[in-house]
Amino acid sequence: AAALAWALLAGALLSPPPVRPQPPPQPRGDRDVQEKEAHFNTTYIDWVDANLLNIYAFNHSVRRNTTEGVRVSVNVLSGHKDPPVLFVVRQKEAVVSFQVPLILRGLYQRKYAYQEVSRTLCQPQTKAEVETQPFYVDVSTLSHNTSYQLRVTRVENFLLQTNKRFSFNATAAQPQYFRYEFPEEVDSVIVKVTSAMAFPCSVISIQDILCPVYDLDNNVAFIGMYQTMTKKAAITVQKKDFPSHSFYVVVVVKTEDEVCGGPLPYYPLSKDASSDEPVDQHNRQKTLEVMVSPAITSEAYVRSVLFCLGIFLSFYVLTLLIACWESCRQHKRKGLLAAMDSPSLDTGHSRGIPDSFLNHGPYDSYGYGSFGNGSSSSTEGITDSLVSAEVSYSYVGPEQFKRRTPSAPTRPLIIAMGERSLENVAGRPRLDSLSSVEEDDYDTLADIDYDKNVIRTKQYLCVADLARKDKRVLRKKYQIYFWNIATIAVFYALPVIQLVITYQTVVNVTGNQDICYYNFLCAHPLGNLRLAPRSAFNNILSNLGYVLLGLLFLLIILQREINYNRALLRNDSHALECGIPKHFGLFYAMGTALMMEGLLSACYHVCPNYTNFQFDTSFMYMIAGLCMLKLYQKRHPDINASAYSAYACLALVIFFSVVGVVFGKGNTAFWIVFSVIHIVATLLLSTQLYYMGRWKLDSGILRRILHVLYTDCVRQCSGPMYVDRMVLLVMGNIINWSLAAYGLIVRPNDFASYLLAIGICNLLLYFAFYIIMKLRSGERIKLIPLLCIISTSVVWGFALFFFFQGLSTWQKTPAESREHNRDCILLDFFDDHDIWHFLSSIAMFGSFLVLLTLDDDLDCVQRDKIYVF
């Protein structure tokens, strides 16, 4: 008990005394309140201090059927270093308050002060025919004595009229907004705002009829839809999004121009000034013009969809008519051949039939030979080229080659070969073994790999020399192209679709239309579709051509493959031994890639920007690569790249495309690395093409290179063994090295398009080389492929014209991109870029047909008479 008592006593002595509440400080004096009756269009110059509150009472007559705006303009006449003056506007249903000087923040927390401020008040609602609704303007401050100027006016043209232009001025502290009401017959409108001056940067916002209105730089993005603007802005607004069937058009001038691509202003700081001191921007004013016009109706959507379908379905009808015409011609040809075989016909009639007609059968109409009895494939080309060769195929000098027979190669062999009897090589039949279809890309016998070394050193190769594999193995090899690209398409498209839906959701929720780079003057949303109410549906619809024409190309290939297989079942000698070997896997891959290009281009145009531009170009790289592979495979069926190697290279190209878009802008180190890789890859590919794959990249490559240089350049000055191939490769290296130098010097911002230009240039060069060599070899181009080449070239020319119109560009800021926006030019629905989609899809389809029919003239020519180049 004693201890407890001592503890309580110690606690009482050590604890602080209780704090008693103090009464609030009494004011030094009552604040004077001066209420004044005020009138519109009258300028009031007055003063206020810490002990004075000025109240201005205004009587506003509101009519039910009349929309009228009220604007409050104030100007503080003292310096911005004094305490600010607070203005509070009290209305029936809203309160608006702001201080002057008005302080707004920019980037890096910079402060900007504005001495003149103007604000538009919310429009009060009334159910009576005429109602007087007073409102009050309270003016107060904590400074000693501050002078100010106050003026309240009615806003003329506050209610915007359809298809009528209205000009006005705005600043960062003097924003403007106007009201628009939908007419009964209008469901969608386009709000267009223009200005003759690019800067100062401004923001256009569409907001619902609510109070308060967010009309300052620091809060305009809180609700509604908005865009930054330099010279042009356009927003499509739908009636269904606004319950009151009306909305506000808010225009705000930003404090800084950097978001629109302008320079960041110099921020002066004096020695004596604080770093937190605001800067007075003085008169930062912009003149703008606004016009609201009705958007297209639902009938225009239906008309445009039918137009788009009509264009591309007409290709199906045309293809069907051609197929019917070919079928009728085949039946007539069969009847004529049957009549020729009839014993009742005399020989005189058969002599009257042209030989060229008799040499063609029903299958030739599909480009795969005839039903006539052609001679079987022989090995004369191999025997003639090798009969005089010696048993040992190691390297021999030029003197030894001079003593050989004329049929021997005229250039030294650069690849050492083992000893082998020529009789076994020349007498060996072509390998058409059906033993296994599970072989890889190499021959089933070790002898064949040896034969390649011998055959590919001939001065003039023929297709029979390089078509020695089992046909079923080759068919499986080229089918892998189709199945691989189908797999790639599925796993590539699914996350792309998910991502663009996420992009669209972000745009819809935030209202930030700077995320997507549309042509806003011709961007038509898809009605009530929830996924894309803000999307440019016209840019998505115009990609339908890629899908429909890609599907049509697949059907054409399927028909050709069916007819070819039927000919094989009939043991048609032309199908077996004549023409370019028929492999359809690459064609199927090309058609699938064209369809995927349309799908991914549509995904890109849901919300086009620099982060998803790779969706629009990935399958363009694949199309260019597959076309080059198909051209090479026509004359080199045995030694074409495997599907895995080809797609691995294309994956590497897409990887560089992504890295270039993310890190390549102005990055010197990246461009140096890429240019070096580009040049090295060009040299390696040139070596692979020149020696037709018969070289190895190993530790002895440098020794072999020096050996070839010594023998061909030092011991004797001999020209290249394959002159035509060397000319192609020299031109290709010149073009690619020039493109690498251009990229390293200029460093273009659009790296994806630059990379695509490299692929297209190489494809065009190889295609031109193929055409020239085909004509030089005595071959001809038939009428159908010739018409395809001419018409496709014309369509490509018009397509590129519309492509380079440049209606938007993600290489610039969204505001600068909108300066390139233009109105629709076709059916009031499609713009220049849509026409590019139409024409480019037709041109790609025509290009595929060119590759498909280019060698139809060789379908009756034996393969040992078809040159390789």
Side-chain angles (χ1 to χ4, degrees):
L4 179 62
W6 279 107
L8 292 175
L9 179 60
L13 293 176
L14 296 177
S15 61
V19 178
R20 298 181 180 275
Q22 299 293 328
Q26 298 294 327
R28 297 181 181 178
D30 295 335
R31 170 175 280 189
D32 294 334
V33 178
Q34 295 185 3
E35 184 172 345
K36 305 176 183 179
E37 191 74 21
H39 304 280
F40 287 89
N41 300 322
T42 302
T43 301
Y44 296 94
I45 300 177
D46 211 335
W47 63 274
V48 69
D49 60 14
N51 298 319
L52 179 62
L53 173 63
N54 291 333
I55 301 177
Y56 297 87
F58 293 87
N59 291 323
H60 185 204
S61 297
V62 181
R63 300 178 180 273
R64 185 176 57 186
N65 297 326
T66 303
T67 301
E68 185 181 54
V70 176
R71 191 166 179 83
V72 177
S73 301
V74 298
N75 182 16
V76 174
L77 304 178
S78 62
H80 64 268
K81 293 184 179 181
D82 295 334
V85 179
L86 179 64
F87 294 85
V88 179
V89 181
R90 293 179 286 126
Q91 297 178 268
K92 180 180 179 180
E93 296 180 358
V95 175
V96 178
S97 62
F98 54 90
Q99 69 176 43
V100 182
L102 181 64
I103 307 298
L104 297 176
R105 292 184 179 272
L107 293 176
Y108 315 113
Q109 297 300 314
R110 297 185 176 197
K111 292 183 179 180
Y112 300 95
Y114 299 91
Q115 298 294 116
E116 299 182 13
V117 180
S118 297
R119 303 290 298 275
T120 303
L121 305 182
C122 283
Q123 172 67 31
Q125 303 293 330
T126 180
K127 296 182 179 180
E129 186 67 27
V130 179
E131 180 182 353
T132 301
Q133 293 185 355
F135 66 91
Y136 304 91
V137 180
D138 301 346
V139 185
S140 60
T141 186
L142 293 180
S143 65
H144 296 294
N145 191 342
T146 302
S147 299
Y148 63 89
Q149 180 177 299
L150 171 67
R151 183 180 178 87
V152 178
T153 58
R154 290 182 171 87
V155 179
E156 298 180 0
N157 301 316
F158 181 73
L159 186 64
L160 297 175
Q161 303 297 320
T162 305
N163 290 327
K164 290 186 178 180
R165 299 180 180 273
F166 175 66
S167 299
F168 59 93
N169 297 325
T171 68
Q174 298 174 344
Q176 297 269 16
Y177 66 85
F178 308 92
R179 180 170 177 168
Y180 179 81
E181 297 179 354
F182 282 95
E184 290 294 332
E185 68 280 2
V186 176
D187 295 326
S188 179
V189 296
I190 299 179
V191 180
K192 302 177 183 178
V193 184
T194 58
S195 177
M197 56 178 67
F199 299 104
C201 176
S202 56
V203 178
I204 311 303
S205 175
I206 304 297
Q207 301 180 18
D208 202 354
I209 305 298
L210 298 173
C211 291
V213 177
Y214 295 92
D215 59 349
L216 292 177
D217 185 23
N218 54 11
N219 61 18
V220 69
F222 285 179
I223 63 172
M225 300 176 289
Y226 64 93
Q227 295 178 2
T228 55
M229 171 190 165
T230 53
K231 292 184 176 181
K232 291 181 182 179
I235 301 179
T236 300
V237 185
Q238 295 179 308
K239 182 190 291 187
K240 66 180 181 61
D241 295 332
F242 297 93
S244 62
H245 294 171
S246 59
F247 58 87
Y248 286 134
V249 180
V250 183
V251 181
V252 177
V253 175
K254 294 190 70 65
T255 57
E256 295 173 343
D257 297 330
E258 190 175 39
V259 69
C260 291
L264 192 65
Y266 176 65
Y267 198 67
L269 291 174
S270 61
K271 295 182 179 180
D272 301 330
S274 171
S275 60
D276 198 42
E277 183 178 347
V279 174
D280 191 352
Q281 288 193 313
H282 304 291
N283 188 23
R284 184 178 165 84
Q285 181 173 283
K286 187 169 187 174
T287 302
L288 304 104
E289 186 176 75
V290 61
M291 185 181 73
V292 183
S293 57
I296 62 174
T297 60
S298 57
E299 290 79 8
Y301 279 85
V302 176
R303 183 173 63 250
S304 302
V305 171
L306 293 178
F307 171 79
C308 187
L309 289 174
I311 288 179
F312 299 111
L313 292 181
S314 63
F315 285 88
Y316 283 78
V317 176
L318 181 61
T319 303
L320 182 61
L321 292 177
I322 294 176
C324 292
W325 176 72
E326 291 286 353
S327 178
C328 292
R329 194 174 69 165
Q330 290 169 23
H331 286 299
K332 291 181 181 179
R333 190 176 296 165
K334 284 182 179 179
L336 184 57
L337 291 174
M340 290 170 52
D341 293 336
S342 175
S344 62
L345 292 178
D346 97 20
T347 56
H349 290 83
S350 63
R351 291 194 192 98
I353 301 174
D355 294 339
S356 60
F357 186 82
L358 296 178
N359 288 335
H360 294 271
Y363 190 71
D364 184 54
S365 62
Y366 296 95
Y368 292 111
S370 69
F371 285 105
N373 292 326
S375 60
S376 61
S377 177
S378 64
T379 57
E380 293 177 359
I382 303 175
T383 307
D384 292 342
S385 62
L386 300 176
V387 68
S388 59
E390 297 176 358
V391 175
S392 177
Y393 290 96
S394 59
Y395 176 81
V396 291
E399 296 300 329
Q400 294 170 290
F401 271 86
K402 290 180 182 179
R403 295 194 297 268
R404 293 192 176 183
T405 59
S407 62
T410 58
R411 294 289 184 268
L413 302 179
I414 63 166
I415 302 173
M417 305 177 192
E419 297 181 357
R420 185 169 179 80
S421 173
L422 285 178
E423 296 179 359
N424 294 335
V425 176
R428 185 183 300 115
R430 183 173 304 148
L431 289 179
D432 289 332
S433 171
L434 303 179
S435 59
S436 174
V437 295
E438 299 298 329
E439 304 293 341
D440 58 8
D441 296 333
Y442 299 96
D443 298 276
T444 57
L445 298 177
D447 296 339
I448 297 300
D449 190 66
Y450 171 82
D451 294 342
K452 290 179 181 179
N453 291 331
V454 178
I455 293 170
R456 294 177 197 175
T457 55
K458 291 172 58 178
Q459 180 68 21
Y460 299 105
L461 286 173
C462 60
V463 171
D465 297 332
L466 300 180
R468 303 167 59 82
K469 280 188 179 180
D470 189 305
K471 291 182 175 60
R472 293 195 298 175
V473 174
L474 285 176
R475 182 180 301 178
K476 179 183 177 182
K477 170 184 177 180
Y478 292 115
Q479 285 176 347
I480 295 176
Y481 278 94
F482 167 70
W483 292 113
N484 278 5
I485 200 169
T487 305
I488 292 170
V490 171
F491 285 95
Y492 194 93
L494 290 179
V496 167
I497 295 173
Q498 181 183 8
L499 180 61
V500 296
I501 291 175
T502 303
Y503 265 117
Q504 192 61 71
T505 303
V506 171
V507 173
N508 297 342
V509 172
T510 63
N512 182 9
Q513 296 202 349
D514 284 354
I515 296 176
C516 306
Y517 287 73
Y518 300 123
N519 175 21
F520 287 91
L521 292 178
C522 187
H524 307 295
L526 185 59
N528 295 320
L529 184 62
R530 183 173 179 83
L531 290 180
R534 308 282 184 250
S535 296
F537 174 66
N538 52 302
N539 291 153
I540 298 174
L541 177 64
S542 58
N543 286 285
L544 184 63
Y546 297 104
V547 179
L548 292 181
L549 294 181
L551 178 61
L552 177 59
F553 185 73
L554 291 179
L555 295 177
I556 293 173
I557 298 303
L558 179 61
Q559 183 194 26
R560 287 213 167 198
E561 185 177 20
I562 291 174
N563 285 276
Y564 176 63
N565 291 334
R566 289 174 179 174
L568 293 179
L569 292 176
R570 292 191 299 265
N571 292 322
D572 185 281
S573 59
H574 285 78
L576 291 170
E577 304 295 343
C578 296
I580 300 295
K582 308 303 184 288
H583 305 294
F584 301 96
L586 277 170
F587 282 128
Y588 282 119
M590 289 161 57
T592 305
L594 184 59
M595 296 178 65
M596 287 306 303
E597 170 59 29
L599 175 62
L600 293 180
S601 178
C603 291
Y604 164 71
H605 283 92
V606 169
C607 183
N609 55 64
Y610 83 98
T611 59
N612 59 15
F613 182 62
Q614 58 171 314
F615 305 157
D616 194 26
T617 56
S618 295
F619 274 82
M620 290 185 182
Y621 304 139
M622 291 194 176
I623 290 173
L626 290 173
C627 288
M628 284 189 282
L629 284 173
K630 186 58 189 178
L631 276 174
Y632 189 77
Q633 181 258 326
K634 280 178 172 290
R635 305 283 171 152
H636 310 81
D638 279 9
I639 60 174
N640 204 2
S642 67
Y644 308 109
S645 302
Y647 287 126
C649 293
L650 292 175
L652 187 62
V653 171
I654 295 175
F655 170 77
F656 275 109
S657 174
V658 175
V659 173
V661 169
V662 177
F663 303 106
K665 189 174 182 180
N667 192 334
T668 305
F670 168 80
W671 282 100
I672 292 175
V673 172
F674 176 77
S675 299
V676 171
I677 293 176
H678 183 191
I679 293 173
V680 172
T682 302
L683 292 174
L684 293 178
L685 182 60
S686 300
T687 307
Q688 178 76 11
L689 293 177
Y690 184 77
Y691 294 123
M692 302 179 68
R694 309 311 299 161
W695 71 287
K696 293 182 179 180
L697 183 61
D698 53 19
S699 58
I701 184 67
L702 293 178
R703 178 178 56 82
R704 293 196 296 272
I705 291 175
L706 293 176
H707 182 69
V708 171
L709 292 176
Y710 173 74
T711 55
D712 291 350
C713 299
V714 178
R715 284 188 62 181
Q716 64 174 3
C717 186
S718 59
M721 184 175 182
Y722 313 109
V723 179
D724 297 326
R725 209 179 304 162
M726 177 60 72
V727 171
L728 167 68
L729 296 176
V730 169
M731 293 181 60
N733 277 269
I734 292 174
I735 292 176
N736 281 276
W737 289 29
S738 300
L739 289 171
Y742 171 81
L744 187 59
I745 296 172
V746 179
R747 285 174 285 179
N749 293 329
D750 190 356
F751 180 79
S753 297
Y754 166 78
L755 199 58
L756 183 61
I758 294 176
I760 292 176
C761 288
N762 284 275
L763 174 60
L764 292 177
L765 174 65
Y766 191 27
F767 182 75
F769 170 80
Y770 193 94
I771 295 293
I772 294 172
M773 292 303 301
K774 181 178 177 66
L775 298 177
R776 283 194 60 193
S777 301
E779 302 172 8
R780 61 188 180 89
I781 300 177
K782 298 181 72 173
L783 179 61
I784 291 179
L786 181 61
L787 292 177
C788 288
I789 291 174
I790 296 174
S791 58
T792 301
S793 300
V794 173
V795 175
W796 269 123
F798 283 103
L800 292 175
F801 170 78
F802 287 101
F803 175 76
F804 287 111
Q805 295 303 305
L807 303 180
S808 61
T809 172
W810 46 262
Q811 302 176 50
K812 300 180 180 179
T813 64
E816 291 175 316
S817 173
R818 276 185 279 272
E819 294 181 13
H820 303 282
N821 290 177
R822 286 199 295 272
D823 293 324
C824 305
I825 62 172
L826 180 62
L827 301 177
D828 291 330
F829 191 84
F830 298 110
D831 59 14
D832 299 74
H833 197 73
D834 295 321
I835 298 178
W836 150 255
H837 286 163
F838 291 147
L839 296 179
S840 63
S841 60
I842 295 173
M844 284 187 181
F845 176 72
S847 302
F848 289 178
L849 291 181
V850 170
L851 292 178
L852 181 63
T853 61
L854 186 58
D855 289 316
D856 283 356
D857 60 302
L858 303 177
D859 287 327
C860 294
V861 179
Q862 293 185 11
R863 291 172 187 170
D864 55 359
K865 300 297 189 292
I866 302 175
Y867 290 108
V868 172
F869 43 79

